[in-house]
Amino acid sequence: MINVTKSYLPDLEEYTAYLKGIWDRVYLTNDGPLLRELESQLKEVLGVKHLKFCTNGTIVLQMALKALDITKEVITTPFSYVATTNALLWEGCTPIFADIRPDDYNIDPNKIEALITENTQAIMATHVYGNACQIEQIQAIAEKYKLKVIYDAAHTFGATYKGQSILSYGDLSTCSFHATKVFHTVEGGCIVTDNDELAQKLHFYRSFGHRNDDYFSIGINAKNSELHAAMGLCVLPKVPELIADRKKVFGYYNDRLDFSRITRPSLTPGVEYNYAYYPVVFDSEETLLRVVDSLKAQEITPRRYFYPSLNTLPFTITAGAGELQSCPISEDVSLRVLCLPLYPSLAEEDVDRIATIVNETVAVVNENV
Ligand SMILES: *Cc1c(COP(=O)(O)O)cnc(C)c1O
């Protein structure tokens, strides 16, 4: 069985050493010593000013909207994981979908301005597959119209843009530390900002809005535990090695896939990539479905990611703007894109097998047209 991803697990002894400490201290959660240690190491590694370690990469999106008082229209991408749109809808905001760029599938800044109304408060964009959006152009639009910028940077751990962590851009940036991501804490996520006031707000939000025995404001429970922080402390030092291994696997695919009928998203100049995903785009959904069948027959499970285009989900229409907002590029790409298995320990022979199945299936489909 080969799955689209496989979580890295540290040596059990290393993890149990942290557990021993937790058992000794009987301090399990609520801003504990391991959580603080992890936050401090993450800030150091990422080179960011404020970082709050939370329970997952979805609740931090909701906290971002709350912290910036966003309740109305938000211009967002239809090409992301459903959590991006869910966070907007859950917070009562209206997602306004701007279509994506045909070359890298990130939100197209040239489509944003036409969608701005007097109700627009923010732009929420995803750095798709860990590759940076058009950050400067988005920032310029935000400044011109006084909009906030929130980045769903769930895929970007370890990736940099112009030498800085991609997480350091925008008013607020969020990451997921879910078991399937490049760096993980089993479940987890973080929110990043260089604004002191926002950081203070987020600190209180995370813990019910508590300020000592008093309350700062409405809050939520987004606290993560010492056991999750311990996993993070074990995985974090391995990240450079894990990314290097991913890069190797990436290279095996690049060498073996037949790109005459397969395309790949481009990388934004200035990005040092983290090799988070290996998406390939076929000429049609029919070809994609045939490839999926061929792979599954060999117990290989790729993933349609991202699918479907979020603007087409029934609840994003009913709970959103009330009508289908057309995003032809995203709708088209999401039908044809497939993420192939990619994880640090994936063997070269396995990539060889996967690439052969993909190439042969694509060739057969094309012979039959
Ligand atoms: C994984 C992911 C999320 C959600 O993160 P969780 O930690 O699973 O809640 C949000 N957005 C994107 C783009 C993701 O890939």
Side-chain angles (χ1 to χ4, degrees):
M1 265 285 284
I2 297 177
N3 214 339
V4 65
T5 186
K6 184 174 177 183
S7 303
Y8 167 79
L9 281 174
D11 287 338
L12 189 55
E13 297 74 51
E14 210 179 313
Y15 188 66
T16 47
Y18 280 111
L19 291 184
K20 177 74 172 59
I22 296 171
W23 258 245
D24 289 346
R25 286 185 296 275
V26 200
Y27 196 135
L28 305 184
T29 186
N30 286 8
D31 220 0
L34 296 183
L35 177 138
R36 287 185 195 192
E37 175 59 25
L38 179 64
E39 283 185 339
S40 132
Q41 289 189 19
L42 285 167
K43 280 187 274 191
E44 172 89 26
V45 165
L46 297 167
V48 296
K49 189 167 178 196
H50 300 290
L51 178 150
K52 298 290 160 192
F53 177 48
C54 296
T55 41
N56 59 66
T58 304
I59 202 156
V60 284
L61 287 167
Q62 295 175 229
M63 288 162 69
L65 293 164
K66 200 69 102 188
L68 295 168
D69 292 318
I70 310 295
T71 56
K72 297 179 190 167
E73 290 177 10
V74 177
I75 297 177
T76 188
T77 177
F79 194 72
S80 182
Y81 185 54
V82 71
T84 316
T85 304
N86 277 347
L88 288 166
L89 294 171
W90 202 270
E91 291 302 322
C93 302
T94 307
I96 303 295
F97 295 102
D99 208 354
I100 55 172
R101 289 155 48 86
D103 48 359
D104 62 16
Y105 319 145
N106 279 324
I107 196 168
D108 187 344
N110 297 324
K111 307 237 171 81
I112 292 178
E113 272 192 271
L115 299 172
I116 295 173
T117 71
E118 60 189 18
N119 291 321
T120 309
Q121 296 177 307
I123 299 167
M124 185 187 266
T126 300
H127 299 295
V128 173
Y129 304 130
N131 178 40
C133 289
Q134 302 297 298
I135 288 173
E136 285 86 0
Q137 212 183 331
I138 291 171
Q139 189 57 36
I141 296 168
E143 279 166 23
K144 181 169 166 194
Y145 293 93
K146 302 204 163 30
L147 306 177
K148 301 295 183 188
V149 179
I150 300 168
Y151 282 117
D152 182 342
H155 296 174
T156 67
F157 199 92
T160 61
Y161 174 64
K162 295 191 171 168
Q164 272 181 268
S165 166
I166 297 182
L167 273 159
S168 60
Y169 297 94
D171 292 290
L172 286 169
S173 212
T174 65
C175 197
S176 167
F177 301 156
H178 182 252
T180 56
K181 305 295 207 271
V182 169
F183 164 73
H184 82 92
T185 59
V186 186
E187 289 277 358
C190 74
I191 185 160
V192 169
T193 183
D194 56 14
N195 180 308
D196 299 343
E197 203 183 318
L198 281 177
Q200 189 64 254
K201 260 194 188 180
L202 292 162
H203 183 78
F204 293 131
Y205 282 179
R206 181 174 71 179
S207 182
F208 306 103
H210 267 292
R211 182 166 47 194
N212 301 319
D213 288 337
D214 196 6
Y215 293 97
F216 169 79
S217 72
I218 276 188
I220 191 80
N221 182 357
K223 294 178 276 94
N224 215 333
S225 80
E226 290 291 281
L227 285 86
H228 292 83
M231 181 60 84
L233 288 167
C234 292
V235 178
L236 188 58
K238 302 294 192 304
V239 167
E241 207 178 301
L242 294 173
I243 291 178
D245 288 345
R246 284 176 170 276
K247 184 177 180 180
K248 264 191 230 160
V249 176
F250 212 86
Y252 301 151
Y253 276 121
N254 284 348
D255 291 344
R256 288 165 174 81
L257 285 171
D258 173 2
F259 291 102
S260 62
R261 292 198 179 96
I262 296 172
T263 52
R264 295 240 325 115
S266 62
L267 206 58
T268 303
V271 168
E272 191 72 48
Y273 194 44
N274 64 356
Y275 305 91
Y277 298 90
Y278 200 93
V280 289
V281 180
F282 301 103
D283 60 344
S284 69
E285 187 181 26
E286 191 205 334
T287 307
L288 175 143
L289 293 173
R290 291 279 293 273
V291 169
V292 170
D293 284 347
S294 308
L295 290 169
K296 283 192 172 162
Q298 302 295 318
E299 299 205 300
I300 297 162
T301 315
R303 181 155 181 226
R304 297 190 72 177
Y305 193 70
F306 302 117
Y307 170 83
S309 187
L310 297 171
N311 58 313
T312 65
L313 285 168
F315 57 85
T316 66
I317 300 167
T318 51
E323 58 183 13
L324 176 66
Q325 305 167 56
S326 164
C327 296
I329 300 173
S330 174
E331 288 163 38
D332 174 49
V333 169
S334 59
L335 291 176
R336 298 188 287 117
V337 66
L338 188 68
C339 283
L340 299 178
L342 173 65
Y343 47 88
S345 61
L346 187 61
E348 189 169 6
E349 309 87 80
D350 289 328
V351 175
D352 200 52
R353 216 151 54 82
I354 296 166
T356 304
I357 296 168
V358 172
N359 290 340
E360 285 177 357
T361 308
V362 170
V364 167
V365 172
N366 277 278
E367 274 163 29
N368 293 345
V369 251

